[in-house]
Amino acid sequence: EAGVAQSPRYKIIEKRQSVAFWCNPISGHATLYWYQQILGQGPKLLIQFQNNGVVDDSQLPKDRFSAERLKGVDSTLKIQPAKLEDSAVYLCASSLVGPPGGGVSETQYFGPGTRLLVL
Amino acid sequence: LAKTTQPISMDSYEGQEVNITCSHNNIATNDYITWYQQFPSQGPRFIIQGYKTKVTNEVASLFIPADRKSSTLSLPRVSLSDTAVYYCLVGDEDGGRRALTFGSGTRLQVQP
């Protein structure tokens, strides 16, 4: 079974530029998550989709971050414009199901992440 | 949101048992507790998951007290390859809002 795919693996940009990350979840997984992991910290949930609907985006900085999951499969996360503090690893994960309003946490399978450096 | 806390680091020797505790005072009622392992430059990898009491699989055990406000990951007979960062993940409920929350992570260093 193929795992969660992410691209690019690395990206270096200057502040105020835009960047986009792509994620392809495990086939058949309804729920997709984007996390931000700053060096030395645990992952922080940015947004959670179930199929193509948003379950939780309470910690997504909506003035600069956006995400979409068209057709309930692949997803893209965009930052526009980037700030220095956005330097982090952006992780994508997927799970078989995830309850819309919360509840039992399903096992998440993570991709390798995209390491972003903002100069 | 209340924090999910773990010790920053632990040291051990090969063959020893290691216990890592996570404190999650505001765990959501219906949520499981999940533990992940992360190596450098990789995404977290699932280790074990439980709701209450004790769960055991081929790599670890998970102990959860009745109040579910903490959990302990137990790694029996660790080896050098167990050197990694370990995270707990819970649904944290504060002010009526639930959010998936990773702990701060515990860096385990296994020595020969």
Side-chain angles (χ1 to χ4, degrees), chain B residues 10-62:
Chain B
M10 298 183 70
D11 293 310
S12 182
Y13 292 95
E14 283 190 292
Q16 290 189 331
E17 178 184 76
V18 171
N19 296 308
I20 306 173
T21 297
C22 177
S23 172
H24 31 77
N25 293 323
N26 288 338
I27 183 171
T29 302
N30 295 329
D31 267 30
Y32 278 57
I33 299 156
T34 312
W35 282 80
Y36 290 85
Q37 176 192 56
Q38 188 175 31
F39 296 111
S41 300
Q42 294 184 24
R45 185 177 70 172
F46 173 86
I47 301 174
I48 195 167
Q49 184 180 73
Y51 184 78
K52 61 180 179 181
T53 62
K54 177 184 174 182
V55 178
T56 297
N57 63 19
E58 63 276 10
V59 298
S61 294
L62 180 59

Side-chain angles (χ1 to χ4, degrees), chain A residues 8-96:
Chain A
R9 290 297 310 277
Y10 305 93
K11 190 74 176 179
I12 301 174
I13 62 173
E14 295 187 348
K15 60 183 179 183
R16 291 187 290 273
Q17 285 188 322
S18 302
V19 65
F21 312 126
W22 173 81
C23 174
N24 181 238
I26 292 173
S27 177
H29 280 196
T31 305
L32 185 147
Y33 314 77
W34 282 103
Y35 290 89
Q36 180 193 59
Q37 186 173 26
I38 293 172
L39 187 64
Q41 299 182 19
K44 183 181 84 170
L45 181 68
L46 294 176
I47 189 166
Q48 177 182 346
F49 293 95
Q50 180 152 340
N51 296 309
N52 59 352
V54 176
V55 173
D56 183 358
D57 64 355
S58 57
Q59 298 191 88
L60 186 73
K62 298 180 184 62
D63 57 334
R64 299 184 300 106
F65 286 64
S66 64
E68 60 182 9
R69 191 183 184 198
L70 299 176
K71 300 181 181 179
V73 181
D74 292 7
S75 178
T76 56
L77 175 70
K78 297 178 181 178
I79 308 175
Q80 180 180 11
K83 292 185 176 181
L84 297 178
E85 59 261 36
D86 297 332
S87 294
V89 175
Y90 290 84
L91 295 163
C92 179
S94 69
S95 63
L96 269 173

